[in-house]
Amino acid sequence: MRRPVIAGNWKMHMELDEVTNYASRFGKAISDVKDRDIIICPPFIYLRTLIEALQGTPVSIGAQMMYWEDKGAYTGEISGPMLRSIGVEYVIIGHSERRQFFGETDATVNRRVKAALRNHINPILCVGETLKQREASETFEVIDRQLTQGLEGLELKPTESIIVAYEPVWAIGTGKTATPGIAQEVHERIRNVLSSILGAKASGEIRVLYGGSVKPDNIDELMRQKDIDGALVGGASLDPDSFERIVRYKE
Ligand code: 13P
């Protein structure tokens, strides 16, 4: 049995007073949750604030990206050792918005995944096709390439783990969720590809999350799918009440 994961990606939202209000409300609201991992990925500048505010709660904190070098003259960048030193446990890598707007490629994704693992941070690797690719029946080809190249040369040690998030680009922020059937079909494909890259054992253990317009009213059905182990939630994670409802999905 894979332990479910509900992760919130705040993207470029929230100001400091909203962050502290959110933390005190949400931390209390989910303090009794034990059977699933809860992760919040805020902008870099709130990482430490949230780690402190949510200490002793079931919430872990993740970054939305990181650079692959450990240190050096790279103005504006944030490295793995820096994140680890403040208590960050997860990092989103290869989000489609980074691929679309900031030149992220499968090759840079690969370097970041390796750097995260080297620094004992769990990467959440995002994959997903655009609408144009789906309409051209290229979904599996795109997913296969993103996984194969993103994980190239990777050998997971027994203590290391990665999370994969399937986020169809056409479902992000659009209100259009992939139907549970569509999501399950791609998740199954992801599991098979992971098995050929990393072996059946690792593939059986890797949590594969769905992301793209996940809301309180569609999470339950998504979580009933065999290969969906959790969700990566954007917009609906910005409100502590709706994110709590998603964390408390019903099986
Ligand atoms: P939305 O939930 O706002 O569609 O965003 C999904 C996402 O991109 C999470 O990383």
Side-chain angles (χ1 to χ4, degrees), residues 9 11 95 167 171-173 212-214 232-235:
N9 173 10
K11 309 191 179 182
H95 191 281
E167 299 206 311
I172 295 178
S213 298
V214 173
L232 182 54
V233 187

